[in-house]
Amino acid sequence: SQQGEEDPQALSIQEGENATMNCSYKTSINNLQWYRQNSGRGLVHLILIRSNEREKHSGRLRVTLDTSKKSSSLLITASRAADTASYFCATDAGKNTGNQFYFGTGTSLTVIP
Amino acid sequence: NAGVMQNPRHLVRRRGQEARLRCSPMKGHSHVYWYRQLPEEGLKFMVYLQKENIIDESGMPKERFSAEFPKEGPSILRIQQVVRGDSAAYFCASSPRAGGHEAFFGQGTRLTVV
């Protein structure tokens, strides 16, 4: 399978704390993306990091990528109750033909007000 | 610019019936992707289409499933003779170009087979 795996499967934190989620994948990639999904809704793109990048920031989000370990992490700082959602990493598995993504099973984040 | 539009949002079918799921990509996007999400699982890639062409259908079951993206109109994912195991959320995504870009997802169609 080309899917990634997120760790932990579930995470519960207090509002204001930081949340860290990890993703491991199996094949070489061109880029890795993080998406968020609120319960019963579609996915919202958060951030894309290319294989030649090591770290990327967007607002309260910080993503790292270690291609030697085939892993990535998503850090959400100063979490808010509205950050409660499932978070997925997705890779392109090295394909150059399109944006076919291979998703992990997700981390369910609960931020307690 | 409207986002990716999927309809219907919810679809109930009896075993053996056909399900047709529609996806209108964002304006200007000619690349469409279909994914299936089972309860409590991540999304699984099914098929990638450009206008009138199937580019990659490696994730789509060989039987009963088909997809098209005609020159005019929405992309259609068709499931014939549905079974209970087809019950899932089906998401469509679109992008303006191939490779290395974010994809924009629709809200999904939740198919329930009874």
Side-chain angles (χ1 to χ4, degrees):
Chain A
S1 169
Q2 294 168 313
Q3 280 189 328
E5 288 188 9
E6 284 90 345
D7 172 61
Q9 286 190 328
L11 180 61
S12 183
I13 60 174
Q14 295 287 334
E15 199 166 32
E17 293 181 337
N18 296 341
T20 299
M21 289 158 264
N22 302 296
C23 165
S24 60
Y25 56 92
K26 297 179 180 178
T27 66
S28 61
I29 62 171
N30 295 313
N31 61 73
L32 182 146
Q33 305 192 40
W34 284 90
Y35 284 83
R36 178 178 119 168
Q37 183 181 36
N38 288 84
S39 179
R41 307 292 295 274
L43 276 74
V44 175
H45 179 262
L46 296 176
I47 200 162
L48 180 154
I49 186 165
R50 303 194 186 281
S51 59
N52 60 353
E53 296 175 313
R54 292 295 167 258
E55 187 172 311
K56 205 160 183 181
H57 297 255
S58 177
R60 293 184 297 113
L61 306 179
R62 172 177 167 249
V63 167
T64 63
L65 179 63
D66 187 336
T67 53
S68 66
K69 295 181 179 178
K70 291 188 170 59
S71 68
S72 173
S73 68
L74 170 67
L75 168 67
I76 304 174
T77 60
S79 63
R80 304 167 182 168
D83 294 330
T84 295
S86 291
Y87 292 82
F88 296 91
C89 71
T91 70
D92 62 1
K95 291 192 176 188
N96 292 314
T97 54
N99 291 320
Q100 306 93 308
F101 301 141
Y102 298 89
F103 285 82
T105 51
T107 291
S108 177
L109 173 66
T110 302
V111 180
I112 303 166
Chain B
N1 188 3
V4 177
M5 304 300 290
Q6 289 187 250
N7 67 80
R9 288 294 306 276
H10 300 274
L11 182 61
V12 179
R13 282 287 178 265
R14 295 189 185 280
R15 278 180 298 172
Q17 290 185 320
E18 178 180 288
R20 290 171 69 89
L21 288 63
R22 295 175 184 76
C23 169
S24 295
M26 288 184 70
K27 187 176 181 180
H29 289 194
S30 59
H31 301 255
V32 166
Y33 313 82
W34 285 94
Y35 293 84
R36 176 165 65 178
Q37 185 177 33
L38 295 171
E40 308 301 323
E41 292 190 12
L43 278 71
K44 285 184 168 52
F45 167 75
M46 297 181 73
V47 61
Y48 161 36
L49 309 103
Q50 290 183 42
K51 281 289 187 181
E52 300 183 274
N53 291 306
I54 294 175
I55 307 302
D56 181 351
E57 56 182 347
S58 58
M60 199 152 70
K62 295 287 186 286
E63 297 179 355
R64 301 189 298 109
F65 285 73
S66 62
E68 62 177 14
F69 188 16
K71 187 176 180 180
E72 301 291 337
S75 175
I76 305 288
L77 179 67
R78 183 179 176 209
I79 311 172
Q80 295 177 291
Q81 299 175 327
V82 296
V83 301
R84 288 227 171 100
D86 296 332
S87 295
Y90 292 83
F91 289 93
C92 169
S94 73
S95 66
R97 292 175 294 279
H101 299 280
E102 68 177 283
F104 296 83
F105 281 80
Q107 293 296 305
T109 292
R110 275 146 190 85
L111 173 65
T112 303
V113 180
V114 296

